[in-house]
Amino acid sequence: MAGPSWQAVREAHERIRARIHRTPVMTSEQMDQMSGARLFFKCENLQKTGSFKIRGATNAVFSMSEQEAARGVATVSSGNHAAALSLAARWRGVPAWVVMPSNTPQVKRQAVQAYGGQIRFCEPTMKGREEALRALLEETGAALVHPYDDDRVIAGQATAAKEFFEDGPELDYLLAPVSGGGLLSGTGIAAKSLNAGVRVIGCEPKNADDAYRSLQMGEIQPSINSNTIADGLRAQLAPRTFAILQERVDRIVLVSEDEIVQAMRWLWERMKLVVEPSGAVSAAVAVFRKLQWEGKSVGVILSGGNVEMKN
Amino acid sequence: MAGPSWQAVREAHERIRARIHRTPVMTSEQMDQMSGARLFFKCENLQKTGSFKIRGATNAVFSMSEQEAARGVATVSSGNHAAALSLAARWRGVPAWVVMPSNTPQVKRQAVQAYGGQIRFCEPTMKGREEALRALLEETGAALVHPYDDDRVIAGQATAAKEFFEDGPELDYLLAPVSGGGLLSGTGIAAKSLNAGVRVIGCEPKNADDAYRSLQMGEIQPSINSNTIADGLRAQLAPRTFAILQERVDRIVLVSEDEIVQAMRWLWERMKLVVEPSGAVSAAVAVFRKLQWEGKSVGVILSGGNVEMKN
């Protein structure tokens, strides 16, 4: 089997348990009525740094030897992984560098800086990012922690589903968003290790359906021109995550932009939860009844809550 | 001592426990840093119907004899109590009537109707409300369930603080918003019964400071011309709640409109929680360090989350 072993996930959980929140599992009768199923929401929007990303980042940073960690860690990200890696590095007392496109919004820069991460700006192109990262790694000797193409990160993200199975009811379905595939890979590994019968569903915007197409075609399809409000879901699969999804995920289900926005609104109005668009994609699959699950138990991972508050 | 006994609170909890959510207690390092204390948030915004009001309403409705309940229940309210009483009545299978001013916003009418409550509109004056209620009670024989001037309601609201003490750490301070005084009365009764040393603090907008003035003057002061974003906190104390507050509350602390708005924003951004302005007043007292509690444990009741989502 591809990716980290179940034993690696258990070790990851022991490693990070005392640092992260054990996020609550919530229910809503109104959401149940819309979905036709019994829904259980794992609230990673309430996780430290506002998303599940702190799980994988913390596991990676605390898996390193003293010597490796001492030179610091680095990544390319403008989003939740950048903030999470910065905090995990601060916990370990080592520097974190983040390569970010020069057009990254102020609010995302501040999130990284608030956790002590150091930003290196680059041209907002694939080439610009790669060159900036290479230069940074050479200069600092820092260890790269990729947002998802890393077994330590995947094992960390898997702990969300592990807690879900430990704290929740027996699930028939488990829904998680997919972008680069780190969370969904970890979810698949945990789910199939703990309950072979559960159906693992990846949730993706129609407007960024590269994971859907990749699993259909049997090879990785590029994520191009994706224009979705779920801006955290525009990455494309790595060979590592693609292999895990092929083994562990039952299917990918798509939702429209309108469905994502409506799901966010319902999470707000009916559950009083702030969830970012990328985090609401799995809720959209649930409440718009994308599968035949009448009366079944459906777990929904709400992956993050970092959305800017407008006046 | 005025108000319901501790035994009545325990009975209320047994009566309502299976119907309500045991809401989570949440923490935030960022909020701790702002307050200087260790903060613990009791999330009644995540309660059924979106506020603590379901506790008191459910206790009142399920305290009635079959004969009394069969004629239905009635109240005057345009807010959270109206929705809560409607749902509690539906659980018991009896009708609920709500007298509402004719200028009540559509969203609040819908909340009552969604839970099966029947609305009677009245002139938006004190006299209009009283006449409409009297006519309704005569016509239907329904039992009045006042939003706060009722020992059954107060005993129900007290169960939020009871759970807080059962699930949380030992608290040095306990903060709750005050309007008519139902929640704060119940909080005082539970707190002083469980831990005589805890300081119970009422939290009120400067722009609706009648409870503050009432405790200062030693007699109930009217709530007039209150103009606050915390529109759930414009009621005035009843003799019953005033007497309880005199015995059980250590002091009332005031916050500005700006502080309320800022606290709401921080609850959103940093804790991913939707909290209504009235529900954020206690958080405002906490994060703006209104008391000298450096390093102490401070419990904060977030009373509700029913705020309209704008596009």
Side-chain angles (χ1 to χ4, degrees):
Chain A
M1 304 287 272
S5 66
W6 175 237
Q7 179 59 26
V9 174
R10 287 173 23 175
E11 288 168 9
H13 207 193
E14 290 313 308
R15 196 173 283 124
I16 71 177
R17 190 192 291 275
R19 299 181 180 278
I20 63 165
H21 288 311
R22 192 169 184 106
T23 51
V25 173
M26 294 194 187
T27 60
S28 160
E29 288 172 20
Q30 290 180 306
M31 302 292 265
D32 285 358
Q33 278 166 22
M34 285 186 281
S35 74
R38 289 169 52 228
L39 302 183
F40 300 87
F41 295 90
K42 175 73 170 165
C43 296
E44 288 294 295
N45 59 321
L46 305 176
Q47 186 51 271
K48 291 196 180 182
T49 70
S51 91
F52 71 93
K53 293 278 190 181
I54 192 65
R55 296 176 181 269
T58 303
N59 188 49
V61 169
F62 284 86
S63 296
M64 293 176 189
S65 68
E66 282 295 327
Q67 197 180 7
E68 184 182 13
R71 289 191 300 269
V73 293
T75 198
V76 182
S77 161
S78 58
N80 289 330
H81 176 66
L85 187 65
S86 300
L87 180 58
R90 193 170 77 182
W91 284 337
R92 182 122 195 214
V94 302
W97 288 276
V98 175
V99 173
M100 261 187 190
S102 51
N103 58 358
T104 301
Q106 181 69 8
V107 63
K108 297 195 172 181
R109 304 177 186 194
Q110 285 171 344
V112 166
Q113 288 163 339
Y115 294 120
Q118 297 170 55
I119 298 176
R120 293 286 176 97
F121 290 108
C122 67
E123 291 297 305
T125 60
M126 183 69 81
K127 184 156 169 289
R129 275 187 276 266
E130 284 173 3
E131 285 179 2
L133 178 65
R134 194 177 315 117
L136 174 68
L137 296 178
E138 277 179 22
E139 179 194 327
T140 61
L144 175 64
V145 180
H146 190 278
Y148 51 90
D149 188 12
D150 184 315
D151 273 3
R152 302 165 302 181
V153 170
I154 293 169
Q157 318 306 31
T159 61
K162 178 172 180 284
E163 291 177 7
F164 209 162
F165 281 94
E166 289 168 357
D167 298 343
E170 189 148 341
L171 296 175
D172 300 302
Y173 292 82
L174 182 51
L175 277 50
V178 58
S179 178
L183 177 63
L184 185 57
S185 290
T187 300
I189 290 167
K192 301 292 186 175
S193 301
L194 284 164
N195 173 1
V198 66
R199 303 196 65 192
V200 177
I201 309 295
C203 304
E204 196 174 33
K206 272 193 189 114
N207 286 5
D209 65 347
D210 58 287
Y212 176 82
R213 288 182 290 110
S214 299
L215 286 181
Q216 292 265 319
M217 311 276 283
E219 61 182 326
I220 296 176
Q221 303 298 308
S223 172
I224 40 172
N225 298 329
S226 10
N227 181 18
T228 170
I229 187 178
D231 60 355
L233 301 186
R234 288 182 304 201
Q236 79 181 41
L237 301 176
R240 182 193 311 265
T241 50
F242 177 62
I244 301 172
L245 301 197
Q246 283 188 306
E247 290 171 0
R248 309 274 197 156
V249 169
D250 293 279
R251 60 182 286 195
I252 309 271
V253 173
L254 302 175
V255 287
S256 71
E257 297 297 297
D258 279 353
E259 289 169 335
I260 296 168
V261 171
Q262 191 59 54
M264 272 184 74
R265 179 187 294 266
W266 284 330
L267 288 164
W268 163 299
E269 287 183 351
R270 299 175 185 193
M271 298 186 71
K272 314 304 173 191
L273 293 173
V274 178
V275 179
E276 64 192 64
S278 307
V281 168
S282 48
V285 168
V287 293
F288 286 100
R289 298 190 185 222
K290 296 292 178 183
L291 293 170
Q292 297 300 318
W293 49 38
E294 199 69 27
K296 301 285 188 184
S297 292
V298 176
V300 181
I301 299 182
L302 301 176
S303 54
N306 291 322
V307 57
E308 213 174 336
M309 188 170 187
K310 297 205 185 83
N311 280 309
Chain B
M1 304 286 272
S5 65
W6 175 238
Q7 180 59 26
V9 174
R10 286 172 24 175
E11 288 168 10
H13 208 193
E14 291 313 308
R15 197 173 283 125
I16 71 177
R17 190 192 291 276
R19 300 181 179 277
I20 63 165
H21 288 312
R22 192 168 185 109
T23 51
V25 174
M26 294 193 187
T27 60
S28 161
E29 288 173 19
Q30 291 181 304
M31 303 290 264
D32 284 358
Q33 279 166 21
M34 285 186 281
S35 74
R38 290 169 52 226
L39 302 183
F40 299 87
F41 295 90
K42 175 71 171 166
C43 296
E44 287 295 295
N45 60 321
L46 305 177
Q47 186 51 267
K48 291 197 179 179
T49 70
S51 92
F52 72 93
K53 292 279 191 181
I54 192 65
R55 295 176 181 270
T58 303
N59 188 49
V61 168
F62 283 85
S63 296
M64 293 174 187
S65 67
E66 282 296 326
Q67 196 180 7
E68 185 182 13
R71 289 190 300 269
V73 293
T75 197
V76 182
S77 162
S78 58
N80 288 331
H81 175 68
L85 187 66
S86 300
L87 180 58
R90 194 170 77 181
W91 284 338
R92 182 123 195 211
V94 303
W97 288 276
V98 175
V99 173
M100 263 188 189
S102 51
N103 57 358
T104 301
Q106 181 70 5
V107 62
K108 297 195 173 183
R109 304 177 187 194
Q110 285 171 343
V112 166
Q113 288 163 339
Y115 293 119
Q118 298 170 56
I119 299 177
R120 294 285 177 96
F121 290 108
C122 67
E123 291 298 305
T125 60
M126 183 69 81
K127 184 156 170 288
R129 275 187 276 267
E130 284 174 4
E131 284 179 2
L133 177 64
R134 193 177 316 117
L136 174 68
L137 295 179
E138 276 179 23
E139 179 193 327
T140 61
L144 174 65
V145 180
H146 190 278
Y148 52 89
D149 188 13
D150 184 316
D151 272 4
R152 301 165 302 180
V153 171
I154 293 169
Q157 319 305 31
T159 60
K162 178 171 180 283
E163 291 177 7
F164 210 162
F165 281 94
E166 289 168 356
D167 298 343
E170 188 147 342
L171 296 175
D172 301 302
Y173 292 82
L174 182 52
L175 277 49
V178 57
S179 178
L183 177 64
L184 185 57
S185 290
T187 301
I189 290 168
K192 301 292 185 176
S193 301
L194 284 165
N195 173 0
V198 67
R199 304 196 64 192
V200 176
I201 310 295
C203 304
E204 196 174 34
K206 272 192 189 116
N207 285 6
D209 66 347
D210 57 289
Y212 176 82
R213 289 182 289 110
S214 299
L215 286 180
Q216 291 266 318
M217 311 276 283
E219 62 182 324
I220 295 177
Q221 302 298 307
S223 173
I224 38 170
N225 298 327
S226 16
N227 181 18
T228 172
I229 187 178
D231 60 355
L233 302 185
R234 288 181 303 201
Q236 79 181 41
L237 301 176
R240 182 194 312 264
T241 51
F242 177 62
I244 301 171
L245 300 197
Q246 283 187 307
E247 291 171 0
R248 309 274 195 155
V249 169
D250 293 279
R251 61 182 284 195
I252 309 271
V253 173
L254 302 175
V255 287
S256 71
E257 297 297 298
D258 279 355
E259 289 169 335
I260 297 168
V261 171
Q262 191 59 55
M264 272 183 76
R265 178 187 295 265
W266 283 330
L267 289 164
W268 163 300
E269 286 184 352
R270 300 176 184 192
M271 298 187 70
K272 313 304 170 191
L273 294 174
V274 178
V275 180
E276 63 192 66
S278 307
V281 167
S282 49
V285 168
V287 293
F288 286 100
R289 299 189 184 223
K290 296 293 179 184
L291 294 170
Q292 296 301 318
W293 49 37
E294 199 69 27
K296 300 285 188 186
S297 291
V298 177
V300 180
I301 299 181
L302 301 176
S303 55
N306 291 322
V307 57
E308 212 175 337
M309 187 169 188
K310 296 205 186 84
N311 279 309

